[in-house]
Amino acid sequence: MFLIIGYLICFGCIFGVFVAHGGNVKVLLEALPFEMITIGGGALGAFVVNNQPKVLKATMAALPSALKSSKYTKARYLELMSLLYEILQKARKEGLMSIEGDVESPKDSPIFQKFPNVGSDHHVVEFMTDYLRMMVSGNLNAHEIEALMDSEIETHHQEAHAPIAALTRLAGALPAFGIVAAVLGVVNTMGSVGQPPAVLGGMIASALVGTFLGIFLAYGVAEPLAGLLEQKAEDAAKEFVCIKTTLLASMQGYNPATAIEFGRKVLFSDVRPGFLELESHVKGKS
């Protein structure tokens, strides 16, 4: 919703002021198809050349998420930390081997089934169960597991930022493609130098539309979109950091209630539940 509102404000103010100042919309509309094909086609071709197929696919998959509201809400984190609390509490009371079945088959685990939003997220469940499995095996200490977690989170960060970097590079290239379109328009104008001034003026105006479109598409469309996707990627990464912090606190000997408090502290303030809110929610679920 905010994406659409933002673009409406951007488009409305730019084109609205142009019309209010007596701008000739007909010139824009006549030049728009040709300039868009020149700029858009050139940018699209360069975008394909500049990125591997996996990045192209990731970018196409990431674009629809820009229209959706963030799923990383306070309610989701309350559910996540309740899940962590219950599985750590079971391990504390019955021993680490008691959660082996939950870890090996989370789809059949009553604990994971109790929290469907988090339990249905493949990436979160896989991250959590992989390190719970290491805790059950007892072959690695907390420092070694932390190093592995950091490496995996960094890999996730790089993969999530590949589409963002691609869009950022595209935004940087669009003004240059606008200049290319404008130069071609000037070349076309110079080839018609014998035409009346009114005709030449229209051709020069059409050429300048290319420069305008390149800059507008870069800073009014592509770069804001990349910025939004970057913020969403940071939200997604924070969930993994929360799991990491909670599990490491548990490995260091803290009880489940204290371990999830460690995890709560790393969350962004707008989605971080209060101490008493988390405590009452966890007790209500357990």
Side-chain angles (χ1 to χ4, degrees):
M1 177 61 73
F2 284 103
L3 176 71
I4 297 173
I5 292 173
Y7 277 141
L8 286 175
I9 294 172
C10 179
F11 280 63
C13 289
I14 291 173
F15 291 101
V17 170
F18 175 76
V19 173
H21 275 238
N24 189 347
V25 179
K26 184 180 178 182
V27 174
L28 287 177
L29 295 178
E30 288 178 350
L32 191 62
F34 304 101
E35 301 297 332
M36 280 299 297
I37 292 172
T38 303
I39 298 169
L44 178 61
F47 185 79
V48 171
V49 172
N50 195 38
N51 297 287
Q52 297 181 61
K54 65 178 181 180
V55 177
L56 297 175
K57 291 179 182 178
T59 304
M60 294 302 104
L63 289 177
S65 68
L67 293 169
K68 301 175 183 177
S69 58
S70 177
K71 67 179 181 179
Y72 301 101
T73 61
K74 182 185 291 188
R76 180 180 174 92
Y77 282 119
L78 282 169
E79 184 172 309
L80 172 65
M81 286 183 281
S82 295
L83 168 59
L84 287 166
Y85 175 83
E86 289 209 12
I87 203 161
L88 292 176
Q89 187 76 341
K90 181 179 179 180
R92 186 178 182 85
K93 288 182 177 179
E94 303 174 24
L96 278 172
M97 294 304 298
S98 67
I99 64 171
E100 187 174 15
D102 301 292
V103 170
E104 296 300 333
S105 183
K107 291 183 179 179
D108 302 322
S109 167
I111 295 178
F112 282 91
Q113 290 176 355
K114 193 174 178 180
F115 305 97
N117 290 332
V118 176
S120 61
D121 191 317
H122 168 72
H123 296 293
V124 170
V125 171
E126 183 179 49
F127 183 83
M128 189 184 304
T129 54
D130 280 351
Y131 293 103
L132 285 170
R133 190 179 294 111
M134 292 181 189
M135 290 169 62
V136 170
S137 70
N139 293 328
L140 297 175
N141 59 42
H143 295 294
E144 292 170 325
I145 290 182
E146 182 178 11
L148 280 175
M149 286 179 167
D150 287 338
S151 296
E152 184 170 351
I153 291 173
E154 178 60 26
T155 300
H156 175 271
H157 178 84
Q158 291 173 352
E159 290 178 343
H161 278 71
I164 298 164
L167 286 173
T168 302
R169 290 193 297 270
L170 176 64
L174 279 168
F177 282 105
I179 293 172
V180 168
V183 169
L184 290 175
V186 171
V187 170
N188 189 33
T189 302
M190 296 303 292
S192 305
V193 74
Q195 297 291 329
V199 175
L200 290 176
M203 295 177 72
I204 293 172
S206 296
L208 292 175
V209 169
T211 305
F212 158 73
L213 280 177
I215 297 171
F216 173 70
L217 291 174
Y219 302 112
V221 178
E223 190 167 352
L225 187 60
L228 176 61
L229 292 178
E230 183 174 18
Q231 293 172 28
K232 287 181 175 291
E234 294 296 334
D235 286 344
K238 184 60 69 175
E239 187 169 44
F240 291 102
V241 175
C242 176
I243 297 169
K244 165 197 162 183
T245 307
T246 302
L247 293 182
L248 288 175
S250 177
M251 288 193 70
Q252 290 166 356
Y254 292 99
N255 62 56
T258 304
I260 63 170
E261 176 63 15
F262 274 70
R264 183 184 76 86
K265 285 295 187 181
V266 304
L267 298 177
F268 292 124
S269 59
D270 61 318
V271 293
R272 184 195 305 144
F275 174 81
L276 295 177
E277 183 181 11
L278 177 59
E279 184 181 41
S280 62
H281 189 272
V282 166
K283 290 182 178 178
K285 287 287 185 179
S286 58

